[in-house]
Amino acid sequence: MDLDNINDKTIDMITDAVIKKMLYKFKQEIHHTTPMSIGDLMKGYMPFRESPEEFLLAEMARLHTLLALYEGQEEFMKAAIIKRRLEIVQTKLDNLNDTDESDAGPQI
């Protein structure tokens, strides 16, 4: 296609079409138009995106469960690895909270 002969009206039409397509895809990704089925949930589909904080909290819950399991089975090497990972996730969570607080503005 010869791009030198495209006028502003054609560029605007193409731009509008691309934006409409992107918005449609975004809406489909974030919000399902139909109720979710159990099958969708089992496949891992979510009607929303979790925040980084929610992801880290879920990871901490998973790691705490594994830690209790390994300590109960007296698998202390695995428990030590899980404890270290918990520390890393906690640090990430603390850093995330620190940046959120600094962006919040003055607190009353």
Side-chain angles (χ1 to χ4, degrees):
M1 178 177 202
D2 187 15
L3 299 178
D4 294 331
N5 294 329
I6 294 179
N7 60 22
D8 288 343
K9 184 177 179 181
T10 306
I11 291 174
D12 287 341
M13 286 176 30
I14 293 170
T15 304
D16 289 342
V18 169
I19 289 173
K20 285 179 184 177
K21 182 77 169 186
M22 288 174 61
L23 288 172
Y24 175 76
K25 292 265 187 193
F26 181 75
K27 286 179 183 177
Q28 292 301 312
E29 185 177 332
I30 300 298
H31 303 287
H32 290 284
T33 56
T34 58
M36 293 188 65
S37 67
I38 293 176
D40 290 339
L41 290 173
M42 296 297 288
K43 290 177 188 173
Y45 298 133
M46 296 291 286
F48 55 87
R49 287 191 181 167
E50 63 187 8
S51 69
E53 182 180 21
E54 291 169 334
F55 174 79
L56 290 171
L57 289 173
E59 181 65 7
M60 288 201 57
R62 186 182 76 82
L63 291 171
H64 277 290
T65 301
L66 286 174
L67 180 63
L69 175 74
Y70 292 143
E71 286 177 343
Q73 295 174 349
E74 297 183 2
E75 295 186 52
F76 299 115
M77 287 295 287
K78 290 180 182 179
I81 292 169
I82 296 298
K83 281 184 181 181
R84 178 64 187 130
R85 291 193 60 189
L86 274 165
E87 292 170 1
I88 292 168
V89 172
Q90 183 64 53
T91 301
K92 288 181 180 181
L93 191 58
D94 292 341
N95 290 340
L96 186 64
N97 289 335
D98 288 344
T99 58
D100 287 346
E101 289 173 9
S102 65
D103 294 338
Q107 300 296 314
I108 296 175

